[in-house]
Amino acid sequence: MSAGAGIIKEIYIAVDFGTSRSGFAFCTLKDYRLRDITSLRAWEGSNEPQDKTLTQIVYDPKGKPISYGYSAPTKYLECLVDDSAKASEYTLFKFFKMDLKHNPTKKLYNNNTGKEFDLITVIGDYLKYIKEKIVEVTKRNDLNDLTRVKWCFTVPKIWSDAEKQMTKEAAQLAGIIKKTDVREDDFLFAPEPEAAAAYCLKWLEETGNAFVGEKFLIVDAGGGTVDLTSHILVKEGKVNKLKSLTTGSGDSCGSSYLDMNFISVLESIFGKDVIDKLKQEEPISFEEMMISWESKKRNIKSLKKTEYFVPDSGIVAFLEKHCDLSNIRLFKLNKIFLTSELLKKIFDPILEKVENLIIEEINQLRITQNDQSSEFDSIFIVGGFGESQVLQSMIIDKFQTNKCKVLIPETPGGAIVKGAVCLGVDPSLIASRRMRLSYGMKTYKSFQNGVHKPELKTKLRGRTGFFCSNIFDSFVDVNEEVKYDHCVTREYEVSEANQTVMYLELYTSPKKGTMYANESYCFKNGEIVIDMSGTSGLGRKIQVDMYFGKSALEITACDKTSNKNYHAQVDFNKNHFHATNSDTVQNQQALESYHFIFVNDKSGSMCGSDTTPSKTFISSRHNNRVGALYQACHAFLEERNGSGDIASCIMYDDCPSTLFVCQEVNPNLINQMMNYSAGGGTSFTAAMKAVESLLQSYYNSHSDYKVIVMFMSDGEDNATEAKNITARLANTYGITLLVFCNAMVIFPLLH
């Protein structure tokens, strides 16, 4: 077996970073059969072999990770008992993978102390543990040498490009990769149901059941998400491959949501206030109860009969203290009885979501095939939650027919990570995919009356006639089938004869046939900046090649005049591209990082109440113009958080004060600004002298950052000297000065 559609490596490693559990598998080409793909099954803390370990991590009071996986909950409980004086300072995190999608701040907290943890760092710490286990099993210490090793990370089908990007950043923190702009030949994202499909294809081949034209649906039921994808088996030469039949679908309805429903049921039995107190006053007992429930839920075979749950003595004692147990009919003989009705409350909302997802896939299939009687030949159930007999029974009862078989691999939980290894060896096994979004560049086109929106009619310098702005120049449309390594080419001309830079802005849309990039449903993913200095004229063109059908979007651009070639990989979190000139050896970041210098007016006139903040945490202290300024600053800091930019701040009246210098941009910087109330005179000159002094001291050590001075004031000053200073700073440091008279209105325009 030879590696397809990629560079041959010595070893292929897949990591299945899951919501509830995580694991890994690997192989070399010489032993590329399912039975030979190796995974770790002897995890510390587990009494029996497991394909995966728990996705849990414990931090000590100093914020250092001390335990992982199956050992983590036990270690956490031991710390609570053995170090009772600092018990509240230990932190156990679980289910944190889903925070990538649902947590806008990307921060985690110790619920007792409020101590803050960065989500990407926590994931990086956990992945570092996984990497250490891989080193132990493979006995290799060169795992970040991408000339020898290929990594494949599984991700939910519903993961956005930004969530994939954050996963890659965590992998970099873990030491798995050295940088995030790696190619698919070295680091591959495998959507979990596609990885499962690759596993099922190999399984069908090795059992002699791979038949061309077979249509099958993958139901990947995990801890956080349930993802679906459908495929048809095709032949390319002598090789079996899979073509996607639909765009796929998914929802946050994995097995971890059963835990939430279980807690809701306990609240209905004993009262919400009692369960809330149990969490707070008996955290050890509560955690042990959830560990017991984890085992219990996997062994529930039917919702038609009553099950019972045995809490430990600590919980029983707590309930006796806070409840009249004699009046609670579902608590007898120190057991909690879960009737069929209660089991349905736990399982049915999740089962209903899964059922609807399958129905949606069948409907998509029939639309795509233009055949209302079309069915899948088989449905494969995989993933950790796929081991649930309750879930299996629902799918079999609802969807198995004489035509459609429901198939369950021997180890549903291990199918995804082994399938990811298969995709690592040959990512072209998925011969085509259907696009979940439309992709296009924002551009101009000649204006056509009756076709284009009148309000978008504009003139371009050096050009005759009228143009329509904000055109969405589509590369691919939603639901369009694209082959692996599919390339779409476009050419764009400069808009001005003396243009030295071209900005190519990439947008996505959930709708087919999108015309305009400024529609409310369009989203700007990023931009690539092409340096066109040294050339001139209106005939200059940029050729853009966009590669679809892989696990990540790839873009190349060529300046047709200078013949400079660029490879770009969008950074979906920072909203711009990293562009690499392919004609040079070293990578260069196309867009600059910024040093924002806030120069904030806190003079007496800023006490005015004609403009006030809407945020309570600001208005409670500064319900005036200066509060409105602080709110604008806070919004900006939130927007740029995680961008890698730095910030400094000078507060001024008739005398300036420097608050902080060259700090990484983050919203918490607002707390230092808010220590200053409005009052005093106004001196623009003193403020700009403070800026000059700051740059004289710190510019050389931070010269990689483009300086943006944001000067905010509500008043005027006879500031001839301030203007002279500004001109001097522009000549010396190349600063850009932005002056705002109404920060609440103007500031958002910077985002």
Side-chain angles (χ1 to χ4, degrees):
M1 176 71 191
S2 62
I7 299 170
I8 295 176
K9 306 283 187 174
E10 293 178 11
I11 186 170
Y12 298 82
I13 304 171
V15 175
D16 184 10
F17 169 52
T19 303
S20 299
R21 291 176 175 79
S22 298
F24 65 88
F26 64 92
C27 82
T28 60
L29 285 180
K30 65 182 180 181
D31 55 18
Y32 179 51
R33 289 177 64 85
L34 287 180
R35 68 169 179 264
D36 299 318
I37 295 176
T38 304
S39 62
L40 176 63
R41 304 200 75 225
W43 294 94
E44 299 103 322
S46 175
N47 295 325
E48 54 189 30
Q50 301 281 354
D51 288 308
K52 302 179 186 180
T53 188
L54 295 178
T55 308
Q56 298 189 21
I57 185 170
V58 178
Y59 287 87
D60 69 12
K62 293 182 180 180
K64 178 183 176 182
I66 57 172
S67 188
Y68 314 82
Y70 281 111
S71 300
T74 303
K75 179 67 174 178
Y76 178 63
L77 296 178
E78 289 174 354
C79 292
L80 295 185
V81 174
D82 297 341
D83 193 6
S84 57
K86 294 185 177 180
S88 64
E89 298 179 40
Y90 287 90
T91 309
L92 171 68
F93 288 125
K94 53 185 177 179
F95 306 135
F96 48 87
K97 171 184 170 179
M98 293 306 293
D99 282 272
L100 286 173
K101 176 164 285 292
H102 300 305
N103 182 344
T105 68
K106 304 300 178 280
K107 299 294 182 184
L108 302 174
Y109 298 91
N110 178 309
N111 292 331
N112 296 311
T113 65
K115 182 179 177 65
E116 182 180 282
F117 293 79
D118 176 69
L119 172 62
I120 308 303
T121 301
V122 170
I123 296 174
D125 287 340
Y126 184 81
L127 292 179
K128 188 175 182 180
Y129 160 71
I130 295 293
K131 183 193 173 186
E132 289 170 355
K133 305 311 293 183
I134 295 172
V135 170
E136 285 181 20
V137 176
T138 62
K139 297 180 172 55
R140 295 181 68 123
N141 292 306
D142 61 346
L143 296 184
N144 60 5
D145 181 356
L146 298 183
T147 64
R148 299 180 176 186
V149 181
K150 181 170 184 177
W151 289 89
C152 189
F153 265 58
T154 65
V155 290
K157 183 72 173 177
I158 63 173
W159 240 221
S160 69
D161 292 310
E163 286 141 13
K164 292 178 185 177
Q165 171 74 13
M166 287 184 280
T167 303
K168 193 178 286 187
E169 290 172 4
Q172 184 180 19
L173 288 176
I176 290 172
I177 53 176
K178 294 180 180 178
K179 55 186 180 180
T180 58
D181 59 338
V182 291
R183 303 289 188 93
E184 185 161 300
D185 284 332
D186 304 318
F187 185 98
L188 171 78
F189 279 122
E192 288 160 359
E194 288 187 6
Y199 174 90
C200 293
L201 174 61
K202 291 291 292 179
W203 181 74
L204 291 171
E205 288 176 338
E206 293 180 9
T207 56
N209 291 302
F211 303 111
V212 172
E214 289 276 312
K215 300 187 294 289
F216 59 89
L217 175 68
I218 302 293
V219 179
D220 170 25
T225 60
V226 175
D227 297 312
L228 280 71
T229 185
S230 59
H231 304 271
I232 185 169
L233 199 156
V234 298
K235 206 88 165 176
E236 289 191 0
K238 296 182 179 180
V239 181
N240 290 320
K241 297 198 174 183
L242 300 172
K243 291 176 65 175
S244 295
L245 289 169
T246 66
T247 60
S249 58
D251 201 353
S252 300
C253 53
S255 62
S256 62
Y257 293 90
L258 297 175
D259 302 346
M260 301 178 190
N261 294 345
F262 171 66
I263 293 172
S264 295
V265 163
L266 293 182
E267 291 172 349
S268 70
I269 296 173
F270 300 104
K272 187 177 185 307
D273 57 333
V274 172
I275 300 303
D276 286 342
K277 280 185 181 179
L278 176 63
K279 296 176 189 176
Q280 295 167 5
E281 298 179 14
E282 297 289 339
I284 297 176
S285 295
F286 183 80
E287 191 62 38
E288 288 178 340
M289 178 182 72
M290 295 309 296
I291 293 171
S292 298
W293 163 249
E294 181 72 21
S295 175
K296 181 67 179 179
K297 72 181 181 185
R298 291 204 306 269
N299 294 314
I300 294 175
K301 296 179 174 58
S302 169
L303 303 183
K304 295 180 179 179
K305 64 176 185 177
T306 298
E307 299 278 349
Y308 65 82
F309 180 79
V310 183
D312 68 15
S313 58
I315 288 183
V316 172
F318 178 89
L319 293 175
E320 288 175 340
K321 179 179 177 182
H322 292 87
C323 302
D324 182 3
L325 294 178
S326 62
N327 290 326
I328 298 178
R329 65 180 183 83
L330 295 173
F331 185 85
K332 303 293 182 186
L333 303 174
N334 290 343
K335 297 176 183 176
I336 300 172
F337 286 85
L338 300 174
T339 63
S340 174
E341 180 184 359
L342 293 179
L343 289 174
K344 288 179 180 179
K345 285 184 178 181
I346 295 171
F347 279 87
D348 277 358
I350 305 303
L351 297 178
E352 183 178 343
K353 284 188 175 184
V354 177
E355 180 183 354
N356 289 336
L357 286 172
I358 296 174
I359 292 171
E360 180 185 336
E361 281 296 306
I362 294 172
N363 290 336
Q364 276 197 51
L365 172 71
R366 290 172 176 173
I367 292 170
T368 302
Q369 301 277 296
N370 196 25
D371 180 358
Q372 289 303 307
S373 64
S374 187
E375 284 188 64
F376 291 107
D377 297 293
S378 53
I379 297 175
F380 284 90
I381 305 175
V382 298
F385 186 24
E387 297 175 3
S388 166
Q389 292 189 36
V390 173
L391 178 64
Q392 293 173 6
S393 296
M394 183 278 288
I395 295 175
I396 291 170
D397 292 345
K398 298 278 186 179
F399 299 103
Q400 182 159 278
T401 65
N402 292 333
K403 162 74 173 167
C404 178
K405 306 180 295 293
V406 175
L407 302 174
I408 304 162
E410 184 178 351
T411 56
I416 291 137
V417 71
K418 290 184 178 181
V421 172
C422 300
L423 284 182
V425 173
D426 184 3
S428 70
L429 282 177
I430 307 296
S432 72
R433 293 177 170 89
R434 290 194 174 266
M435 301 304 297
R436 303 189 73 185
L437 294 169
S438 298
Y439 284 80
M441 291 288 185
K442 187 172 102 171
T443 187
Y444 295 89
K445 280 189 177 179
S446 295
F447 189 86
Q448 297 181 48
N449 289 317
V451 175
H452 295 134
K453 292 180 178 180
E455 63 268 25
L456 298 179
K457 189 175 183 180
T458 188
K459 289 280 287 181
L460 298 177
R461 282 180 291 180
R463 297 270 186 178
T464 58
F466 290 95
F467 290 82
C468 181
S469 64
N470 285 289
I471 290 292
F472 184 94
D473 185 21
S474 178
F475 278 64
V476 292
D477 254 334
V478 65
N479 202 35
E480 182 178 340
E481 183 181 5
V482 294
K483 293 182 178 180
Y484 179 82
D485 220 7
H486 175 68
C487 179
V488 180
T489 299
R490 295 281 189 276
E491 287 190 349
Y492 298 99
E493 288 189 8
V494 295
S495 57
E496 299 178 19
N498 60 351
Q499 187 172 333
T500 59
V501 173
M502 180 181 286
Y503 292 87
L504 301 174
E505 297 178 274
L506 175 68
Y507 280 75
T508 53
S509 165
K511 295 188 178 182
K512 189 174 184 177
T514 298
M515 284 190 66
Y516 303 106
N518 64 345
E519 298 286 5
S520 60
Y521 48 79
C522 289
F523 178 76
K524 180 180 176 181
N525 286 92
E527 62 186 29
I528 178 172
V529 180
I530 305 297
D531 178 12
M532 305 187 72
S533 58
T535 63
S536 61
L538 284 174
R540 293 173 296 153
K541 296 180 180 179
I542 295 293
Q543 177 179 309
V544 177
D545 295 324
M546 201 176 297
Y547 293 85
F548 298 92
K550 294 185 175 184
S551 69
L553 177 66
E554 288 188 9
I555 301 173
T556 62
C558 176
D559 183 338
K560 303 282 281 186
T561 304
S562 67
N563 288 321
K564 288 182 180 179
N565 294 305
Y566 297 83
H567 173 265
Q569 186 174 30
V570 67
D571 185 332
F572 292 95
N573 295 320
K574 299 178 184 175
N575 204 36
H576 64 73
F577 287 106
H578 294 300
T580 302
N581 187 330
S582 300
D583 298 331
T584 62
V585 177
Q586 293 183 331
N587 294 345
Q588 298 178 8
Q589 186 169 309
L591 291 187
E592 296 170 286
S593 297
Y594 295 102
H595 178 188
F596 297 105
I597 302 178
F598 296 91
V599 187
N600 295 342
D601 184 353
K602 68 174 191 68
S603 62
S605 61
M606 294 293 284
C607 289
S609 58
D610 54 337
T611 302
T612 58
S614 59
K615 299 285 187 182
T616 304
F617 80 97
I618 298 176
S619 62
S620 62
R621 296 173 61 184
H622 305 281
N623 196 28
N624 49 24
R625 290 182 182 180
V626 80
L629 183 152
Y630 290 151
Q631 179 165 312
C633 291
H634 184 257
F636 183 81
L637 291 168
E638 281 195 317
E639 183 72 21
R640 302 296 299 186
N641 189 29
S643 63
D645 300 326
I646 58 175
S648 302
C649 181
I650 295 167
M651 302 294 298
Y652 73 94
D653 42 37
D654 52 359
C655 181
S657 299
T658 302
L659 273 64
F660 52 83
V661 176
C662 298
Q663 297 292 304
E664 185 172 343
V665 167
N666 72 85
N668 293 330
L669 294 176
I670 196 64
N671 295 325
Q672 297 183 55
M673 297 185 193
M674 287 174 58
N675 288 329
Y676 286 78
S677 299
T682 305
S683 175
F684 289 180
T685 297
M688 291 309 299
K689 282 183 177 179
V691 174
E692 185 172 38
S693 176
L694 187 153
L695 289 172
Q696 287 172 345
S697 299
Y698 293 96
Y699 180 82
N700 287 339
S701 59
H702 297 82
S703 58
D704 291 337
Y705 294 84
K706 171 73 175 175
V707 179
I708 307 291
V709 177
M710 296 187 290
F711 196 97
M712 288 172 281
S713 175
D714 66 342
E716 296 179 355
D717 180 22
N718 184 14
T720 302
E721 188 178 354
K723 294 177 183 177
N724 293 336
I725 295 171
T726 301
R728 187 161 66 241
L729 296 179
N731 290 331
T732 306
Y733 303 108
I735 73 163
T736 298
L737 177 69
L738 303 176
V739 180
F740 301 107
C741 297
N742 185 342
M744 285 292 283
V745 175
I746 302 297
F747 228 124
L749 298 180
L750 290 173
H751 296 175

